[in-house]
mmCIF file of all heavy atoms in Angstrom:
data_model
loop_
_atom_site.group_PDB
_atom_site.id
_atom_site.type_symbol
_atom_site.label_atom_id
_atom_site.label_comp_id
_atom_site.label_asym_id
_atom_site.label_seq_id
_atom_site.Cartn_x
_atom_site.Cartn_y
_atom_site.Cartn_z
ATOM 1 N N SER F 390 106.032 110.232 110.794
ATOM 2 C CA SER F 390 105.187 109.773 111.890
ATOM 3 C C SER F 390 104.338 108.568 111.472
ATOM 4 O O SER F 390 103.173 108.715 111.115
ATOM 5 C CB SER F 390 104.289 110.922 112.341
ATOM 6 O OG SER F 390 103.498 110.501 113.432
ATOM 7 N N PRO F 391 104.907 107.354 111.525
ATOM 8 C CA PRO F 391 104.083 106.181 111.217
ATOM 9 C C PRO F 391 102.900 106.084 112.181
ATOM 10 O O PRO F 391 103.039 106.368 113.374
ATOM 11 C CB PRO F 391 105.033 105.005 111.415
ATOM 12 C CG PRO F 391 106.405 105.585 111.314
ATOM 13 C CD PRO F 391 106.279 106.986 111.837
ATOM 14 N N PRO F 392 101.708 105.713 111.684
ATOM 15 C CA PRO F 392 100.524 105.651 112.553
ATOM 16 C C PRO F 392 100.607 104.535 113.593
ATOM 17 O O PRO F 392 101.440 103.646 113.499
ATOM 18 C CB PRO F 392 99.382 105.395 111.570
ATOM 19 C CG PRO F 392 100.011 104.889 110.337
ATOM 20 C CD PRO F 392 101.417 105.375 110.305
ATOM 21 N N ASN F 393 99.710 104.593 114.567
ATOM 22 C CA ASN F 393 99.559 103.557 115.590
ATOM 23 C C ASN F 393 100.859 103.340 116.368
ATOM 24 O O ASN F 393 101.195 102.219 116.709
ATOM 25 C CB ASN F 393 99.063 102.252 114.953
ATOM 26 C CG ASN F 393 98.462 101.302 115.958
ATOM 27 O OD1 ASN F 393 97.834 101.713 116.925
ATOM 28 N ND2 ASN F 393 98.659 100.020 115.741
ATOM 29 N N GLY F 394 101.596 104.420 116.611
ATOM 30 C CA GLY F 394 102.851 104.304 117.355
ATOM 31 C C GLY F 394 103.897 103.475 116.637
ATOM 32 O O GLY F 394 104.822 102.971 117.252
ATOM 33 N N GLY F 395 103.739 103.311 115.335
ATOM 34 C CA GLY F 395 104.674 102.525 114.539
ATOM 35 C C GLY F 395 104.269 101.070 114.379
ATOM 36 O O GLY F 395 104.850 100.340 113.580
ATOM 37 N N GLN F 396 103.274 100.604 115.146
ATOM 38 C CA GLN F 396 102.864 99.197 115.044
ATOM 39 C C GLN F 396 102.025 99.002 113.782
ATOM 40 O O GLN F 396 100.979 99.596 113.629
ATOM 41 C CB GLN F 396 102.067 98.744 116.258
ATOM 42 C CG GLN F 396 101.706 97.267 116.180
ATOM 43 C CD GLN F 396 100.986 96.756 117.404
ATOM 44 O OE1 GLN F 396 100.986 97.389 118.454
ATOM 45 N NE2 GLN F 396 100.380 95.594 117.280
ATOM 46 N N PHE F 397 102.519 98.111 112.890
ATOM 47 C CA PHE F 397 101.824 97.895 111.631
ATOM 48 C C PHE F 397 101.120 96.548 111.542
ATOM 49 O O PHE F 397 100.281 96.330 110.674
ATOM 50 C CB PHE F 397 102.772 98.072 110.434
ATOM 51 C CG PHE F 397 103.957 97.128 110.402
ATOM 52 C CD1 PHE F 397 103.883 95.916 109.742
ATOM 53 C CD2 PHE F 397 105.146 97.490 111.015
ATOM 54 C CE1 PHE F 397 104.980 95.064 109.703
ATOM 55 C CE2 PHE F 397 106.254 96.639 110.983
ATOM 56 C CZ PHE F 397 106.168 95.426 110.324
ATOM 57 N N PHE F 398 101.421 95.630 112.465
ATOM 58 C CA PHE F 398 100.837 94.289 112.398
ATOM 59 C C PHE F 398 101.094 93.581 113.715
ATOM 60 O O PHE F 398 102.028 93.914 114.438
ATOM 61 C CB PHE F 398 101.489 93.507 111.245
ATOM 62 C CG PHE F 398 100.953 92.119 111.020
ATOM 63 C CD1 PHE F 398 99.638 91.914 110.667
ATOM 64 C CD2 PHE F 398 101.779 91.011 111.159
ATOM 65 C CE1 PHE F 398 99.141 90.637 110.452
ATOM 66 C CE2 PHE F 398 101.300 89.736 110.939
ATOM 67 C CZ PHE F 398 99.970 89.549 110.584
ATOM 68 N N THR F 399 100.256 92.574 114.036
ATOM 69 C CA THR F 399 100.494 91.686 115.177
ATOM 70 C C THR F 399 100.628 90.270 114.653
ATOM 71 O O THR F 399 99.725 89.745 114.005
ATOM 72 C CB THR F 399 99.344 91.772 116.201
ATOM 73 O OG1 THR F 399 99.234 93.123 116.655
ATOM 74 C CG2 THR F 399 99.603 90.851 117.382
ATOM 75 N N MET F 400 101.778 89.643 114.926
ATOM 76 C CA MET F 400 102.061 88.290 114.439
ATOM 77 C C MET F 400 101.239 87.261 115.206
ATOM 78 O O MET F 400 101.019 87.412 116.412
ATOM 79 C CB MET F 400 103.543 87.950 114.635
ATOM 80 C CG MET F 400 104.484 88.768 113.786
ATOM 81 S SD MET F 400 104.291 88.494 112.022
ATOM 82 C CE MET F 400 104.968 86.868 111.852
ATOM 83 N N PRO F 401 100.817 86.179 114.531
ATOM 84 C CA PRO F 401 100.176 85.084 115.248
ATOM 85 C C PRO F 401 101.181 84.390 116.168
ATOM 86 O O PRO F 401 102.395 84.501 115.968
ATOM 87 C CB PRO F 401 99.713 84.149 114.123
ATOM 88 C CG PRO F 401 100.542 84.506 112.949
ATOM 89 C CD PRO F 401 100.937 85.944 113.104
ATOM 90 N N ALA F 402 100.682 83.696 117.163
ATOM 91 C CA ALA F 402 101.539 83.091 118.190
ATOM 92 C C ALA F 402 102.644 82.212 117.607
ATOM 93 O O ALA F 402 103.776 82.232 118.090
ATOM 94 C CB ALA F 402 100.687 82.300 119.180
ATOM 95 N N ALA F 403 102.356 81.451 116.569
ATOM 96 C CA ALA F 403 103.339 80.519 116.006
ATOM 97 C C ALA F 403 104.493 81.222 115.301
ATOM 98 O O ALA F 403 105.477 80.577 114.947
ATOM 99 C CB ALA F 403 102.649 79.555 115.043
ATOM 100 N N ALA F 404 104.406 82.536 115.092
ATOM 101 C CA ALA F 404 105.449 83.262 114.363
ATOM 102 C C ALA F 404 106.140 84.314 115.230
ATOM 103 O O ALA F 404 106.862 85.153 114.721
ATOM 104 C CB ALA F 404 104.840 83.919 113.129
ATOM 105 N N ARG F 405 105.930 84.252 116.537
ATOM 106 C CA ARG F 405 106.519 85.248 117.439
ATOM 107 C C ARG F 405 107.883 84.787 117.940
ATOM 108 O O ARG F 405 108.081 83.616 118.218
ATOM 109 C CB ARG F 405 105.598 85.487 118.629
ATOM 110 C CG ARG F 405 104.283 86.094 118.208
ATOM 111 C CD ARG F 405 103.322 86.240 119.350
ATOM 112 N NE ARG F 405 102.064 86.781 118.866
ATOM 113 C CZ ARG F 405 101.004 86.940 119.608
ATOM 114 N NH1 ARG F 405 101.031 86.612 120.898
ATOM 115 N NH2 ARG F 405 99.898 87.440 119.087
ATOM 116 N N PRO F 406 108.820 85.732 118.084
ATOM 117 C CA PRO F 406 110.142 85.346 118.599
ATOM 118 C C PRO F 406 110.095 85.079 120.102
ATOM 119 O O PRO F 406 109.224 85.582 120.814
ATOM 120 C CB PRO F 406 110.996 86.583 118.294
ATOM 121 C CG PRO F 406 110.026 87.722 118.287
ATOM 122 C CD PRO F 406 108.727 87.157 117.761
ATOM 123 N N LEU F 407 111.061 84.288 120.577
ATOM 124 C CA LEU F 407 111.158 84.001 122.010
ATOM 125 C C LEU F 407 111.652 85.212 122.792
ATOM 126 O O LEU F 407 111.372 85.347 123.978
ATOM 127 C CB LEU F 407 112.086 82.819 122.254
ATOM 128 C CG LEU F 407 111.589 81.472 121.718
ATOM 129 C CD1 LEU F 407 112.629 80.385 121.961
ATOM 130 C CD2 LEU F 407 110.262 81.106 122.356
ATOM 131 N N SER F 408 112.419 86.075 122.133
ATOM 132 C CA SER F 408 112.833 87.354 122.719
ATOM 133 C C SER F 408 112.769 88.393 121.609
ATOM 134 O O SER F 408 112.751 88.054 120.433
ATOM 135 C CB SER F 408 114.245 87.265 123.304
ATOM 136 O OG SER F 408 115.183 86.943 122.305
ATOM 137 N N GLN F 409 112.708 89.656 121.991
ATOM 138 C CA GLN F 409 112.560 90.717 120.984
ATOM 139 C C GLN F 409 113.667 90.637 119.951
ATOM 140 O O GLN F 409 114.822 90.400 120.287
ATOM 141 C CB GLN F 409 112.579 92.091 121.649
ATOM 142 C CG GLN F 409 112.448 93.227 120.640
ATOM 143 C CD GLN F 409 112.205 94.562 121.294
ATOM 144 O OE1 GLN F 409 111.184 94.726 121.940
ATOM 145 N NE2 GLN F 409 113.127 95.485 121.133
ATOM 146 N N ARG F 410 113.300 90.857 118.708
ATOM 147 C CA ARG F 410 114.263 90.920 117.607
ATOM 148 C C ARG F 410 114.171 92.310 116.990
ATOM 149 O O ARG F 410 113.096 92.751 116.604
ATOM 150 C CB ARG F 410 113.956 89.873 116.533
ATOM 151 C CG ARG F 410 113.905 88.446 117.034
ATOM 152 C CD ARG F 410 115.275 87.954 117.477
ATOM 153 N NE ARG F 410 115.224 86.519 117.718
ATOM 154 C CZ ARG F 410 115.598 85.951 118.840
ATOM 155 N NH1 ARG F 410 116.027 86.686 119.842
ATOM 156 N NH2 ARG F 410 115.543 84.642 118.975
ATOM 157 N N SER F 411 115.289 92.993 116.904
ATOM 158 C CA SER F 411 115.358 94.310 116.279
ATOM 159 C C SER F 411 116.177 94.173 115.006
ATOM 160 O O SER F 411 117.272 93.605 115.027
ATOM 161 C CB SER F 411 116.034 95.319 117.216
ATOM 162 O OG SER F 411 115.265 95.484 118.388
ATOM 163 N N VAL F 412 115.626 94.686 113.900
ATOM 164 C CA VAL F 412 116.288 94.567 112.605
ATOM 165 C C VAL F 412 116.315 95.928 111.916
ATOM 166 O O VAL F 412 115.545 96.830 112.250
ATOM 167 C CB VAL F 412 115.573 93.538 111.703
ATOM 168 C CG1 VAL F 412 115.571 92.158 112.343
ATOM 169 C CG2 VAL F 412 114.159 93.983 111.388
ATOM 170 N N SER F 413 117.205 96.054 110.942
ATOM 171 C CA SER F 413 117.286 97.265 110.130
ATOM 172 C C SER F 413 116.437 97.102 108.881
ATOM 173 O O SER F 413 116.315 96.000 108.343
ATOM 174 C CB SER F 413 118.731 97.524 109.707
ATOM 175 O OG SER F 413 119.525 97.811 110.825
ATOM 176 N N ALA F 414 115.877 98.204 108.429
ATOM 177 C CA ALA F 414 115.089 98.208 107.199
ATOM 178 C C ALA F 414 115.220 99.573 106.545
ATOM 179 O O ALA F 414 115.562 100.565 107.200
ATOM 180 C CB ALA F 414 113.620 97.907 107.511
ATOM 181 N N ALA F 415 114.923 99.618 105.245
ATOM 182 C CA ALA F 415 114.910 100.890 104.519
ATOM 183 C C ALA F 415 113.546 101.537 104.725
ATOM 184 O O ALA F 415 112.516 100.881 104.626
ATOM 185 C CB ALA F 415 115.155 100.649 103.034
ATOM 186 N N ALA F 416 113.567 102.841 105.018
ATOM 187 C CA ALA F 416 112.300 103.539 105.234
ATOM 188 C C ALA F 416 112.452 104.995 104.832
ATOM 189 O O ALA F 416 113.234 105.719 105.439
ATOM 190 C CB ALA F 416 111.865 103.450 106.690
ATOM 191 N N GLY F 417 111.700 105.390 103.828
ATOM 192 C CA GLY F 417 111.682 106.797 103.439
ATOM 193 C C GLY F 417 113.044 107.376 103.158
ATOM 194 O O GLY F 417 113.300 108.535 103.451
ATOM 195 N N GLY F 418 113.946 106.574 102.622
ATOM 196 C CA GLY F 418 115.260 107.062 102.261
ATOM 197 C C GLY F 418 116.288 107.032 103.375
ATOM 198 O O GLY F 418 117.425 107.446 103.176
ATOM 199 N N VAL F 419 115.915 106.555 104.557
ATOM 200 C CA VAL F 419 116.871 106.450 105.670
ATOM 201 C C VAL F 419 116.757 105.065 106.307
ATOM 202 O O VAL F 419 115.709 104.438 106.258
ATOM 203 C CB VAL F 419 116.607 107.537 106.747
ATOM 204 C CG1 VAL F 419 116.825 108.923 106.177
ATOM 205 C CG2 VAL F 419 115.223 107.419 107.330
ATOM 206 N N PRO F 420 117.844 104.579 106.910
ATOM 207 C CA PRO F 420 117.733 103.312 107.636
ATOM 208 C C PRO F 420 116.833 103.493 108.856
ATOM 209 O O PRO F 420 116.846 104.547 109.486
ATOM 210 C CB PRO F 420 119.159 102.993 108.060
ATOM 211 C CG PRO F 420 120.037 104.036 107.484
ATOM 212 C CD PRO F 420 119.176 105.132 106.934
ATOM 213 N N THR F 421 116.066 102.464 109.170
ATOM 214 C CA THR F 421 115.210 102.516 110.354
ATOM 215 C C THR F 421 115.288 101.189 111.079
ATOM 216 O O THR F 421 115.852 100.221 110.573
ATOM 217 C CB THR F 421 113.752 102.860 109.968
ATOM 218 O OG1 THR F 421 113.031 103.215 111.147
ATOM 219 C CG2 THR F 421 113.061 101.697 109.290
ATOM 220 N N LYS F 422 114.713 101.144 112.247
ATOM 221 C CA LYS F 422 114.683 99.921 113.052
ATOM 222 C C LYS F 422 113.242 99.420 113.106
ATOM 223 O O LYS F 422 112.307 100.203 113.198
ATOM 224 C CB LYS F 422 115.183 100.219 114.463
ATOM 225 C CG LYS F 422 115.155 99.020 115.400
ATOM 226 C CD LYS F 422 115.778 99.360 116.739
ATOM 227 C CE LYS F 422 114.725 99.699 117.739
ATOM 228 N NZ LYS F 422 115.150 99.665 119.133
ATOM 229 N N ILE F 423 113.083 98.099 113.025
ATOM 230 C CA ILE F 423 111.789 97.464 113.271
ATOM 231 C C ILE F 423 111.981 96.486 114.418
ATOM 232 O O ILE F 423 112.903 95.669 114.399
ATOM 233 C CB ILE F 423 111.254 96.710 112.038
ATOM 234 C CG1 ILE F 423 111.094 97.657 110.847
ATOM 235 C CG2 ILE F 423 109.918 96.045 112.361
ATOM 236 C CD1 ILE F 423 110.658 96.967 109.566
ATOM 237 N N ASP F 424 111.123 96.586 115.436
ATOM 238 C CA ASP F 424 111.137 95.648 116.557
ATOM 239 C C ASP F 424 110.040 94.618 116.348
ATOM 240 O O ASP F 424 108.881 94.970 116.093
ATOM 241 C CB ASP F 424 110.881 96.368 117.889
ATOM 242 C CG ASP F 424 112.061 97.203 118.353
ATOM 243 O OD1 ASP F 424 113.205 96.905 117.919
ATOM 244 O OD2 ASP F 424 111.850 98.133 119.142
ATOM 245 N N PHE F 425 110.401 93.346 116.468
ATOM 246 C CA PHE F 425 109.438 92.247 116.459
ATOM 247 C C PHE F 425 109.416 91.713 117.880
ATOM 248 O O PHE F 425 110.392 91.142 118.361
ATOM 249 C CB PHE F 425 109.846 91.176 115.444
ATOM 250 C CG PHE F 425 109.822 91.691 114.030
ATOM 251 C CD1 PHE F 425 110.964 92.198 113.435
ATOM 252 C CD2 PHE F 425 108.640 91.686 113.307
ATOM 253 C CE1 PHE F 425 110.937 92.677 112.133
ATOM 254 C CE2 PHE F 425 108.598 92.163 111.998
ATOM 255 C CZ PHE F 425 109.752 92.669 111.418
ATOM 256 N N ARG F 426 108.318 91.950 118.572
ATOM 257 C CA ARG F 426 108.233 91.710 120.012
ATOM 258 C C ARG F 426 107.579 90.370 120.343
ATOM 259 O O ARG F 426 106.835 89.817 119.542
ATOM 260 C CB ARG F 426 107.479 92.868 120.673
ATOM 261 C CG ARG F 426 108.207 94.199 120.432
ATOM 262 C CD ARG F 426 107.469 95.373 120.984
ATOM 263 N NE ARG F 426 108.227 96.612 120.754
ATOM 264 C CZ ARG F 426 107.702 97.805 120.831
ATOM 265 N NH1 ARG F 426 106.428 97.975 121.151
ATOM 266 N NH2 ARG F 426 108.449 98.862 120.606
ATOM 267 N N THR F 427 107.827 89.895 121.562
ATOM 268 C CA THR F 427 107.348 88.575 121.977
ATOM 269 C C THR F 427 105.832 88.473 122.039
ATOM 270 O O THR F 427 105.279 87.395 121.897
ATOM 271 C CB THR F 427 107.938 88.189 123.342
ATOM 272 O OG1 THR F 427 107.577 89.183 124.295
ATOM 273 C CG2 THR F 427 109.451 88.066 123.265
ATOM 274 N N ALA F 428 105.135 89.589 122.234
ATOM 275 C CA ALA F 428 103.668 89.573 122.251
ATOM 276 C C ALA F 428 103.086 89.685 120.840
ATOM 277 O O ALA F 428 101.878 89.721 120.669
ATOM 278 C CB ALA F 428 103.132 90.698 123.129
ATOM 279 N N GLY F 429 103.973 89.749 119.830
ATOM 280 C CA GLY F 429 103.533 89.747 118.445
ATOM 281 C C GLY F 429 103.538 91.091 117.751
ATOM 282 O O GLY F 429 103.323 91.162 116.543
ATOM 283 N N GLU F 430 103.795 92.178 118.476
ATOM 284 C CA GLU F 430 103.770 93.495 117.835
ATOM 285 C C GLU F 430 104.947 93.641 116.875
ATOM 286 O O GLU F 430 106.073 93.297 117.198
ATOM 287 C CB GLU F 430 103.863 94.636 118.861
ATOM 288 C CG GLU F 430 102.797 94.633 119.920
ATOM 289 C CD GLU F 430 103.297 94.048 121.223
ATOM 290 O OE1 GLU F 430 104.148 93.122 121.197
ATOM 291 O OE2 GLU F 430 102.844 94.504 122.275
ATOM 292 N N CYS F 431 104.650 94.180 115.689
ATOM 293 C CA CYS F 431 105.663 94.530 114.696
ATOM 294 C C CYS F 431 105.669 96.053 114.637
ATOM 295 O O CYS F 431 104.683 96.660 114.199
ATOM 296 C CB CYS F 431 105.301 93.939 113.339
ATOM 297 S SG CYS F 431 105.043 92.154 113.366
ATOM 298 N N VAL F 432 106.769 96.679 115.084
ATOM 299 C CA VAL F 432 106.772 98.124 115.316
ATOM 300 C C VAL F 432 107.946 98.802 114.600
ATOM 301 O O VAL F 432 109.106 98.434 114.812
ATOM 302 C CB VAL F 432 106.861 98.433 116.833
ATOM 303 C CG1 VAL F 432 106.859 99.930 117.091
ATOM 304 C CG2 VAL F 432 105.722 97.757 117.583
ATOM 305 N N ILE F 433 107.619 99.799 113.778
ATOM 306 C CA ILE F 433 108.636 100.638 113.150
ATOM 307 C C ILE F 433 109.072 101.672 114.188
ATOM 308 O O ILE F 433 108.236 102.345 114.793
ATOM 309 C CB ILE F 433 108.068 101.363 111.916
ATOM 310 C CG1 ILE F 433 107.588 100.358 110.873
ATOM 311 C CG2 ILE F 433 109.107 102.319 111.329
ATOM 312 C CD1 ILE F 433 106.752 100.988 109.773
ATOM 313 N N VAL F 434 110.390 101.785 114.388
ATOM 314 C CA VAL F 434 110.942 102.785 115.307
ATOM 315 C C VAL F 434 111.668 103.797 114.416
ATOM 316 O O VAL F 434 112.835 103.608 114.079
ATOM 317 C CB VAL F 434 111.896 102.141 116.330
ATOM 318 C CG1 VAL F 434 112.424 103.186 117.306
ATOM 319 C CG2 VAL F 434 111.213 100.989 117.059
ATOM 320 N N PRO F 435 110.959 104.866 114.004
ATOM 321 C CA PRO F 435 111.508 105.741 112.968
ATOM 322 C C PRO F 435 112.563 106.722 113.478
ATOM 323 O O PRO F 435 112.416 107.284 114.555
ATOM 324 C CB PRO F 435 110.280 106.503 112.478
ATOM 325 C CG PRO F 435 109.412 106.595 113.684
ATOM 326 C CD PRO F 435 109.630 105.302 114.439
ATOM 327 N N PRO F 436 113.624 106.920 112.682
ATOM 328 C CA PRO F 436 114.580 107.977 113.017
ATOM 329 C C PRO F 436 114.059 109.300 112.461
ATOM 330 O O PRO F 436 113.077 109.333 111.711
ATOM 331 C CB PRO F 436 115.829 107.537 112.249
ATOM 332 C CG PRO F 436 115.265 106.885 111.027
ATOM 333 C CD PRO F 436 114.013 106.170 111.498
ATOM 334 N N SER F 437 114.700 110.380 112.818
ATOM 335 C CA SER F 437 114.299 111.651 112.212
ATOM 336 C C SER F 437 114.636 111.585 110.725
ATOM 337 O O SER F 437 115.600 110.947 110.323
ATOM 338 C CB SER F 437 115.024 112.819 112.885
ATOM 339 O OG SER F 437 116.421 112.682 112.710
ATOM 340 N N GLY F 438 113.815 112.193 109.929
ATOM 341 C CA GLY F 438 114.032 112.215 108.489
ATOM 342 C C GLY F 438 113.281 111.157 107.720
ATOM 343 O O GLY F 438 113.286 111.154 106.492
ATOM 344 N N VAL F 439 112.624 110.220 108.425
ATOM 345 C CA VAL F 439 111.861 109.203 107.702
ATOM 346 C C VAL F 439 110.658 109.878 107.041
ATOM 347 O O VAL F 439 110.077 110.814 107.588
ATOM 348 C CB VAL F 439 111.419 108.042 108.632
ATOM 349 C CG1 VAL F 439 110.333 108.469 109.581
ATOM 350 C CG2 VAL F 439 110.976 106.832 107.818
ATOM 351 N N THR F 440 110.311 109.419 105.852
ATOM 352 C CA THR F 440 109.185 110.033 105.137
ATOM 353 C C THR F 440 107.932 109.190 105.329
ATOM 354 O O THR F 440 107.434 109.099 106.454
ATOM 355 C CB THR F 440 109.525 110.245 103.652
ATOM 356 O OG1 THR F 440 109.887 108.995 103.054
ATOM 357 C CG2 THR F 440 110.653 111.252 103.489
ATOM 358 N N THR F 441 107.427 108.550 104.285
ATOM 359 C CA THR F 441 106.112 107.901 104.392
ATOM 360 C C THR F 441 106.085 106.463 103.900
ATOM 361 O O THR F 441 105.057 105.982 103.459
ATOM 362 C CB THR F 441 105.068 108.700 103.595
ATOM 363 O OG1 THR F 441 105.505 108.773 102.233
ATOM 364 C CG2 THR F 441 104.870 110.089 104.160
#
Side-chain angles (χ1 to χ4, degrees):
S390 182
N393 199 35
Q396 183 177 344
F397 60 91
F398 182 62
T399 301
M400 293 296 288
R405 296 176 182 175
L407 294 177
S408 61
Q409 179 169 297
R410 303 292 190 234
S411 297
V412 300
S413 294
V419 296
T421 194
K422 178 175 98 163
I423 301 176
D424 287 337
F425 296 94
R426 300 176 179 163
T427 58
E430 303 100 327
C431 305
V432 180
I433 300 168
V434 182
S437 61
V439 72
T440 57
T441 58

